[in-house]
Coordinates of all heavy atoms in Angstrom, one line a residue:
T27 N 1.6 -13.2 7.5 CA 1.5 -12.0 8.3 C 0.0 -11.6 8.3 O -0.8 -12.3 7.8 CB 2.4 -10.9 7.8 OG1 2.4 -9.8 8.7 CG2 2.0 -10.4 6.4
Q28 N -0.3 -10.5 8.9 CA -1.6 -10.0 9.0 C -1.8 -8.7 8.2 O -0.9 -7.8 8.2 CB -2.1 -9.7 10.4 CG -2.3 -11.0 11.2 CD -3.0 -10.7 12.5 OE1 -2.7 -9.6 13.2 NE2 -3.8 -11.5 13.0
A29 N -2.9 -8.5 7.5 CA -3.2 -7.3 6.8 C -3.6 -6.2 7.8 O -4.3 -6.5 8.7 CB -4.3 -7.5 5.7
K30 N -3.2 -5.0 7.5 CA -3.5 -3.9 8.4 C -4.2 -2.8 7.7 O -3.7 -2.3 6.6 CB -2.2 -3.3 9.1 CG -1.5 -4.4 9.9 CD -0.1 -3.9 10.4 CE 0.6 -5.0 11.1 NZ 2.0 -4.6 11.4
D31 N -5.3 -2.3 8.2 CA -6.1 -1.2 7.6 C -5.3 0.1 7.9 O -5.0 0.4 9.0 CB -7.4 -1.2 8.2 CG -8.4 -0.2 7.6 OD1 -8.0 0.7 6.9 OD2 -9.6 -0.5 7.7
I32 N -5.1 0.9 6.9 CA -4.4 2.2 7.1 C -5.1 3.1 7.9 O -4.6 4.1 8.5 CB -3.9 2.8 5.8 CG1 -5.1 3.4 5.0 CG2 -3.1 1.9 4.9 CD1 -4.7 4.4 4.0
K33 N -6.5 2.9 8.1 CA -7.3 3.8 8.9 C -6.8 3.7 10.4 O -7.0 4.6 11.2 CB -8.7 3.4 8.8 CG -9.3 3.7 7.5 CD -10.8 3.3 7.4 CE -11.4 3.6 6.1 NZ -12.7 3.0 5.9
T34 N -6.1 2.6 10.7 CA -5.5 2.4 12.1 C -4.2 3.0 12.2 O -3.5 2.9 13.3 CB -5.5 0.9 12.5 OG1 -4.6 0.2 11.7 CG2 -6.9 0.3 12.4
K35 N -3.6 3.6 11.1 CA -2.3 4.2 11.0 C -1.2 3.3 11.6 O -0.5 3.6 12.5 CB -2.3 5.5 11.7 CG -3.3 6.5 11.2 CD -3.1 7.9 11.7 CE -4.1 8.9 11.3 NZ -4.8 8.8 10.1
P36 N -1.1 2.1 11.0 CA -0.1 1.1 11.5 C 1.3 1.7 11.3 O 1.7 2.3 10.3 CB -0.3 -0.1 10.6 CG -0.9 0.4 9.4 CD -1.8 1.6 9.8
A37 N 2.1 1.5 12.4 CA 3.5 1.9 12.4 C 4.3 0.9 11.5 O 4.1 -0.3 11.6 CB 4.1 1.9 13.8
L38 N 5.2 1.4 10.7 CA 6.0 0.6 9.8 C 7.5 0.8 10.2 O 7.9 1.9 10.2 CB 5.8 0.9 8.4 CG 4.3 0.7 7.9 CD1 4.2 1.3 6.5 CD2 3.9 -0.7 7.9
E39 N 8.2 -0.3 10.4 CA 9.6 -0.2 10.8 C 10.3 -1.4 10.3 O 9.9 -2.6 10.5 CB 9.7 0.0 12.3 CG 11.2 0.3 12.7 CD 11.2 0.5 14.2 OE1 10.4 1.2 14.7 OE2 12.2 0.0 14.8
G40 N 11.5 -1.3 9.7 CA 12.3 -2.4 9.3 C 11.6 -3.3 8.2 O 11.8 -4.5 8.2
V41 N 10.8 -2.7 7.4 CA 10.0 -3.5 6.4 C 10.8 -3.6 5.1 O 11.3 -2.6 4.5 CB 8.7 -2.9 6.1 CG1 7.9 -3.7 5.0 CG2 7.8 -2.7 7.4
D42 N 11.0 -4.9 4.7 CA 11.8 -5.1 3.4 C 10.8 -4.9 2.2 O 11.2 -4.2 1.3 CB 12.3 -6.5 3.4 CG 13.4 -6.7 4.4 OD1 14.4 -6.0 4.4 OD2 13.3 -7.6 5.3
T43 N 9.6 -5.5 2.3 CA 8.7 -5.2 1.2 C 7.3 -5.0 1.8 O 6.8 -5.7 2.6 CB 8.6 -6.5 0.3 OG1 9.9 -6.8 -0.2 CG2 7.6 -6.2 -0.9
L44 N 6.7 -3.9 1.4 CA 5.4 -3.4 1.8 C 4.4 -3.6 0.7 O 4.6 -3.0 -0.4 CB 5.4 -2.0 2.3 CG 4.1 -1.4 2.7 CD1 3.5 -2.1 3.9 CD2 4.2 0.1 2.9
F45 N 3.4 -4.4 0.9 CA 2.4 -4.6 -0.1 C 1.2 -3.6 0.2 O 0.7 -3.7 1.3 CB 1.9 -6.0 -0.1 CG 2.9 -7.0 -0.6 CD1 3.9 -7.5 0.3 CD2 3.0 -7.5 -1.9 CE1 4.9 -8.4 -0.1 CE2 4.0 -8.3 -2.3 CZ 4.9 -8.8 -1.4
I46 N 0.9 -2.8 -0.7 CA -0.1 -1.8 -0.5 C -1.3 -2.1 -1.4 O -1.2 -2.1 -2.7 CB 0.4 -0.4 -0.8 CG1 1.6 -0.1 0.0 CG2 -0.7 0.7 -0.6 CD1 2.3 1.3 -0.3
V47 N -2.5 -2.3 -0.8 CA -3.7 -2.7 -1.6 C -4.7 -1.6 -1.4 O -5.0 -1.2 -0.3 CB -4.2 -4.1 -1.1 CG1 -5.4 -4.5 -2.0 CG2 -3.2 -5.1 -1.0
G48 N -5.2 -1.1 -2.6 CA -6.2 -0.1 -2.5 C -6.9 0.1 -3.8 O -6.4 -0.4 -4.9
G49 N -8.1 0.6 -3.8 CA -8.9 0.9 -5.0 C -8.5 2.2 -5.7 O -7.8 3.0 -5.1
I50 N -9.0 2.3 -6.9 CA -8.9 3.6 -7.6 C -10.3 4.1 -7.7 O -11.3 3.5 -8.1 CB -8.4 3.3 -9.0 CG1 -7.0 2.6 -9.0 CG2 -8.3 4.6 -9.8 CD1 -5.9 3.4 -8.3
Y51 N -10.5 5.4 -7.3 CA -11.8 6.0 -7.2 C -11.7 7.3 -8.0 O -10.9 8.2 -7.7 CB -12.2 6.3 -5.8 CG -12.1 5.1 -4.9 CD1 -11.0 4.8 -4.1 CD2 -13.1 4.1 -5.0 CE1 -11.0 3.7 -3.3 CE2 -13.1 3.0 -4.2 CZ -12.0 2.8 -3.4 OH -11.9 1.6 -2.6

Side-chain angles (χ1 to χ4, degrees):
T27 189
Q28 289 190 322
K30 299 173 184 172
D31 189 336
I32 69 160
K33 291 178 184 173
T34 66
K35 300 188 185 333
L38 301 171
E39 186 176 318
V41 178
D42 293 303
T43 305
L44 176 64
F45 294 83
I46 303 174
V47 185
I50 302 297
Y51 307 98

